[in-house]
Amino acid sequence: MKVAVRMDFVTEELKRLKDEGLYTYIRTIESPQGPWVVIEGRKVLNLCSNNYLGLCNEERLKDKAKKYIDQYGVGPGAVRTIAGTMSVHIELEKKLAAFKGTEAAMLVQSGFCANLSAIPALVGKGDLIFSDELNHASIIDGCRLSRAEIVRYKHNDPDDLERALKEKEGTNCRKLVVTDGVFSMDGDIAPLPELVEVAEKYGAMIMVDDAHGEGVLGRRGRGIVDHFDLHGRVDVEVGTLSKAFGVMGGFVAGKSELIEYLRQKARPNLFSSALTVPDVAANIAAVEILQESGELVEKLWDNAFYFRARMGELGFDTGHTQTPITPVMVGEATLAKELSMKLFERNVFAQAIAFPTVPKGKARIRVMVSASHTRDDLDYAVSAFAEAGKELGIIG
Ligand SMILES: *Cc1c(COP(=O)(O)O)cnc(C)c1O
């Protein structure tokens, strides 16, 4: 009897998710990533990928990966600290540090892993973390894993951070302030200069997760620290290679000594194998492309401004984004899903995002335009939104 019931909760939870419209139906892409992709045998306009610059299927990245596979093989064979550090990893780490304008960088398997690497290595039991209430799940998990006490401050509110730090003034422990650089669901930018000032004033370390800033903000996409010209004042920068860079992987960047410390302490570096050769190779090509020209970054912003303006004219609420991330606010999860379905009928692929990724009642379609969309593509998307939005009564 006991054996028969012990996993009933799985069935029940799946049913609940479906009943409440919170179940995610996962689409399979049958073509390379790009502005148009093939799903269920149909060519559809892709509006929900993090492939900001269109690098996922770029020739230079593919060529570099092929070349390095021939030269170095595929797998690293071990964790970095035992026998998995290859010259290709060092090459990419140097390039990333140069790109970010930091002394050094440490590669890890993903952006998610970068947060799990950095946070528990910097703070532990008895320490304090000050975390923006809307921080990404991987920051939250990194914080929890550290066993430090987590104090949440109001979203993008340096005054509330100051209040929280003041409350704990005199507590003799390590303090870490951590924030997303660009908030992935709303597209707003953290007020980093003010957060840095408050952190400095109260003797706290400051860390920013620049996953949606790299390849987007700053000169030639160098990220949020460059955007605000805060070089040298942000202690820990976390990055991902799976968004604008178009590949996979993550990293932590900062002072040489910090990176040396993390190489010894970060558990994903000690206990999970290194990135594969083709991933590293393709990332090297991606950084080179960004170093050489700002063209893709400019195109991305042009496209984003154009799309947002057209959607605004139609009466859609695109929230308060400051970046190419364009939330189309809908409200109820079920309505957002219906809109997504109606768009898909019109060959537009734009997934609905609902709780727990965003708060309840704030479901939306998050549109991600990329540098590889043409004006025609964007016009196509706008007319599909217009038709579907009217049918569902979201716009007049
Ligand atoms: C996407 C994202 C991550 C995870 O990056 P991966 O490389 O996909 O693991 C981490 N932090 C933030 C803020 C993100 O948006």
Side-chain angles (χ1 to χ4, degrees):
M1 243 343 239
K2 253 189 170 170
V3 175
V5 279
R6 75 195 165 111
M7 288 189 76
D8 281 359
F9 72 94
V10 174
T11 317
E12 282 156 20
E13 179 64 5
L14 285 171
K15 184 178 179 310
R16 185 188 70 82
L17 290 175
K18 285 176 187 167
D19 289 349
E20 292 180 21
L22 300 176
Y23 187 87
T24 306
Y25 292 89
I26 302 170
R27 304 264 194 206
T28 303
I29 315 283
E30 297 148 7
S31 63
Q33 298 290 348
W36 291 80
V37 291
V38 177
I39 295 176
E40 292 162 21
R42 254 163 67 200
K43 224 178 128 194
V44 295
L45 181 65
N46 182 7
L47 288 187
C48 44
S49 155
N50 297 319
N51 183 16
Y52 282 112
L53 304 176
L55 295 179
C56 284
N57 190 37
E58 217 276 337
E59 289 307 320
R60 271 178 71 181
L61 273 70
K62 294 199 283 185
D63 287 345
K64 189 84 173 177
K66 288 175 197 163
K67 188 172 153 226
Y68 270 36
I69 286 173
D70 287 341
Q71 250 175 294
Y72 298 99
V74 180
V79 300
R80 292 288 302 271
T81 47
I82 297 181
T85 295
M86 301 170 72
S87 53
V88 296
H89 296 113
I90 305 298
E91 184 185 352
L92 177 54
E93 283 172 337
K94 288 205 169 119
K95 282 212 147 70
L96 284 170
F99 178 70
K100 296 294 285 187
T102 58
E103 287 177 11
M106 176 180 83
L107 273 176
V108 286
Q109 300 82 358
S110 69
F112 203 112
C113 271
N115 282 316
L116 303 194
S117 294
I119 301 168
L122 294 171
V123 285
K125 217 170 169 152
D127 295 330
L128 284 163
I129 297 172
F130 300 85
S131 174
D132 186 290
E133 64 184 346
L134 293 188
N135 273 345
H136 188 262
S138 59
I139 297 179
I140 295 170
D141 287 7
C143 292
R144 286 180 182 157
L145 209 51
S146 76
R147 297 195 289 166
E149 184 190 335
I150 302 161
V151 180
R152 290 176 7 142
Y153 64 86
K154 285 194 191 127
H155 176 53
N156 277 353
D157 188 341
D159 293 336
D160 196 52
L161 171 64
E162 174 147 25
R163 176 204 55 75
L165 278 159
K166 210 171 205 158
E167 228 164 69
K168 301 285 186 182
E169 225 181 352
T171 317
N172 190 20
C173 66
R174 293 183 206 162
K175 291 170 189 155
L176 174 70
V177 174
V178 59
T179 183
D180 272 28
V182 173
F183 287 81
S184 56
M185 292 302 141
D186 294 294
D188 50 342
I189 302 175
L192 201 55
E194 291 79 9
L195 297 175
V196 165
E197 226 161 80
V198 176
E200 281 171 354
K201 183 169 164 193
Y202 290 87
M205 299 177 272
I206 182 147
M207 165 171 160
V208 67
D209 177 344
D210 205 17
H212 284 275
E214 276 131 10
V216 178
L217 295 178
R219 287 167 300 154
R220 294 184 182 177
R222 283 174 161 72
I224 190 168
V225 170
D226 191 77
H227 172 76
F228 285 120
D229 200 13
L230 288 170
H231 292 286
R233 290 179 68 194
V234 175
D235 301 298
V236 190
E237 292 180 57
V238 151
T240 177
L241 302 169
S242 40
K243 290 181 173 131
F245 284 80
V247 194
M248 181 66 206
F251 64 93
V252 187
K255 294 238 153 67
S256 302
E257 202 169 44
L258 169 77
I259 301 307
E260 185 186 352
Y261 171 84
L262 290 176
R263 287 194 203 280
Q264 303 295 318
K265 293 282 189 180
R267 289 167 71 83
N269 194 54
L270 298 173
F271 299 106
S272 185
S273 289
L275 270 182
T276 70
V277 171
D279 283 327
V280 174
N283 278 311
I284 289 171
V287 186
E288 285 170 355
I289 288 173
L290 281 166
Q291 295 274 36
E292 281 164 24
S293 158
E295 200 182 315
L296 290 173
V297 180
E298 280 160 30
K299 179 87 189 300
L300 168 69
W301 281 93
D302 281 351
N303 279 350
F305 284 131
Y306 179 76
F307 180 78
R308 201 187 313 156
R310 296 286 317 272
M311 291 292 280
E313 285 161 19
L314 284 172
F316 280 106
D317 172 7
T318 55
H320 47 274
T321 179
Q322 300 169 282
T323 61
I325 296 170
T326 310
V328 179
M329 306 305 287
V330 173
E332 287 314 306
T334 44
L335 189 57
K337 298 221 159 168
E338 270 179 77
L339 178 57
S340 174
M341 301 274 257
K342 290 224 178 276
L343 290 167
F344 198 71
E345 285 165 16
R346 292 170 171 82
N347 298 323
V348 171
F349 175 40
Q351 290 279 61
I353 295 181
F355 182 80
T357 312
V358 294
K360 281 187 176 150
K362 291 207 168 170
R364 67 199 65 183
I365 303 256
R366 183 186 57 161
V367 173
M368 308 292 280
V369 299
S370 90
S372 53
H373 286 119
T374 63
R375 275 292 143 92
D376 282 351
D377 293 341
L378 298 176
D379 288 338
Y380 187 93
V382 170
S383 18
F385 264 102
E387 286 173 24
K390 275 176 196 150
E391 263 178 45
L392 292 172
I394 296 168
I395 51 168

